[in-house]
Amino acid sequence: MTDTKIRKIAIFGAGAMGAAYAAMFMDARDFSVSFVARGERYRKLAQGVFKVNGKRYTIPVIHPDKVMEPAQLVIVALKHHHLTGALEDINALVGDTTMILSVMNGLESEEMIGAVCGKDKLVYAIAVGIDAVREEDRFTFASPGKLIFGHGPRGGASQQLGRLQEALNRARIPNAIPPDMMRMLWWKFMINVGINQASAVLRAPYGTFQSSPDARALMEMLMQEVIAVAQKAGIDLSSKDLDEWIKVLATLSPKGKTSMFQDIEAGRKTEVEIFAGKVVALGQRHLIPTPVNETVQRIIKVMENQSGV
């Protein structure tokens, strides 16, 4: 009988999220895990040893021009502004039975990947509650969070989801398949627009939002504008979804930092265009005011310019 279990995994993006998932799969000792990169990034990764939660991992690095066989699962954990340049490299790892799982932020990555690699290869997903942090060459996370995944707007084969869930269970990665994946995708977008951007402008870890009513109010004002545009787009989001996020927020390490806060600290380009920029554009399309996101977008742009990004 042919073994259909997922064992060969390729990861695009060796930041905090990519390193955390690589470590979780490697700890299961039942997977072949590799990063994929080219150019200077390839040379740097090929020389290094990853330290995740104090444990050392030697993770192979594949050059996309030297791929010998497809991966069974491709995980895309890139920043949005790196995705366009990586699409053909992702496609080089795709075979007949490959599944592609994007844990990227925003609402666009699945459509962009599907246009090049085939929409039938995609499983839509969000990572919730994982508090991975990168500090130089060290990666830490206190909570693995939960990987929520399902079919996109066009549906798909149920056995595909079952095969992925079996692999995640084998790696002891908490996961769930919701009844409405597109709603969950927007829910995560709402979270990112709120906590990522508020933490960046305040330079604040999760603990600040757990203890400060003012910080939490800024976060929720940003999120309320997402709810308004989501409802116009036919997505069932409401203020009750804010309450669900507050429950998740309470479980995160007070010292944990969002990816956008980490970008600001490191002087890197942020993903403000796919957060506030997207909300402002949707507001204009649906004739809904989005003044909080517009203001925060300008603040973050100034912060980027001051860092020379």
Side-chain angles (χ1 to χ4, degrees):
M1 180 179 293
T2 303
D3 183 3
T4 60
K5 289 184 177 181
I6 293 173
R7 301 189 189 279
K8 185 177 179 61
I9 299 172
I11 301 177
F12 284 80
M17 187 82 76
Y21 282 119
M24 284 186 258
F25 278 110
M26 292 193 75
D27 283 343
R29 299 182 181 277
D30 198 29
F31 299 90
S32 170
V33 182
S34 302
F35 285 120
V36 185
R38 65 167 63 243
E40 182 59 32
R41 189 67 173 156
Y42 172 85
R43 289 186 287 274
K44 184 176 180 180
L45 293 176
Q47 295 172 359
V49 174
F50 287 80
K51 287 175 270 188
V52 183
N53 286 349
K55 183 177 178 180
R56 295 168 66 89
Y57 295 85
T58 301
I59 304 174
V61 184
I62 299 173
H63 193 289
D65 292 342
K66 299 179 181 179
V67 173
M68 300 301 293
E69 60 182 20
Q72 293 169 301
L73 175 63
V74 175
I75 298 175
V76 185
L78 296 166
K79 293 292 186 182
H80 180 75
H81 45 275
H82 293 148
L83 179 58
T84 299
L87 289 172
E88 292 299 334
D89 291 345
I90 295 171
N91 197 40
L93 271 294
V94 173
D96 292 340
T97 61
T98 301
M99 280 186 282
I100 305 173
L101 191 73
S102 169
V103 292
M104 291 176 59
N105 292 324
L107 299 173
E108 292 89 1
S109 67
E110 284 87 359
E111 288 299 314
M112 293 173 65
I113 295 168
V116 174
C117 305
K119 293 179 173 61
D120 60 312
K121 304 297 182 185
L122 280 163
V123 176
Y124 283 59
I126 59 171
V128 177
I130 182 169
D131 52 4
V133 175
R134 176 182 181 178
E135 294 177 333
E136 297 180 351
D137 64 342
R138 299 183 302 278
F139 303 85
T140 58
F141 64 94
S143 170
K146 181 181 287 187
L147 199 57
I148 299 174
F149 65 97
H151 293 306
R154 299 170 187 82
S158 59
Q159 62 265 31
Q160 186 183 40
L161 300 186
R163 185 165 165 249
L164 176 58
Q165 188 164 52
E166 188 280 332
L168 295 173
N169 290 340
R170 206 172 349 125
R172 298 183 179 180
I173 297 174
N175 65 87
I177 302 174
D180 186 347
M181 187 62 219
M182 296 310 294
R183 196 188 89 83
M184 294 305 300
L185 201 69
W186 272 82
W187 182 67
K188 177 63 182 296
F189 177 62
M190 177 193 74
I191 292 169
N192 278 328
V193 166
I195 188 67
N196 255 297
Q197 297 188 131
S199 67
V201 298
L202 297 176
R203 295 179 180 265
Y206 292 122
T208 300
F209 297 90
Q210 293 164 344
S211 62
S212 168
D214 292 317
R216 199 157 52 247
L218 173 60
M219 175 188 73
E220 292 181 359
M221 289 168 69
L222 289 159
M223 295 166 79
Q224 286 286 4
E225 292 183 352
V226 176
I227 292 172
V229 297
Q231 290 175 347
K232 282 291 186 179
I235 302 297
D236 182 24
L237 278 187
S238 71
S239 294
K240 292 181 180 179
D241 292 297
L242 292 177
D243 298 334
E244 291 302 313
W245 162 240
I246 295 301
K247 293 176 185 178
V248 175
L249 176 63
T251 69
L252 301 180
S253 169
K255 296 181 180 179
K257 301 175 182 179
T258 67
S259 60
M260 188 174 279
F261 179 23
Q262 294 178 61
D263 289 339
I264 289 293
E265 283 191 316
R268 295 189 294 261
K269 180 175 173 59
T270 73
E271 294 182 307
V272 69
E273 288 90 353
I274 64 167
F275 294 157
K278 183 71 171 181
V279 176
V280 171
L282 288 169
Q284 292 171 346
R285 181 188 306 171
H286 296 297
L287 302 179
I288 294 174
T290 55
V292 185
N293 274 278
E294 184 174 351
T295 300
V296 165
Q297 182 180 25
R298 293 183 185 279
I299 292 171
I300 293 173
K301 282 294 187 182
V302 171
M303 296 171 78
E304 287 184 337
N305 291 336
Q306 289 174 337
S307 298
V309 177

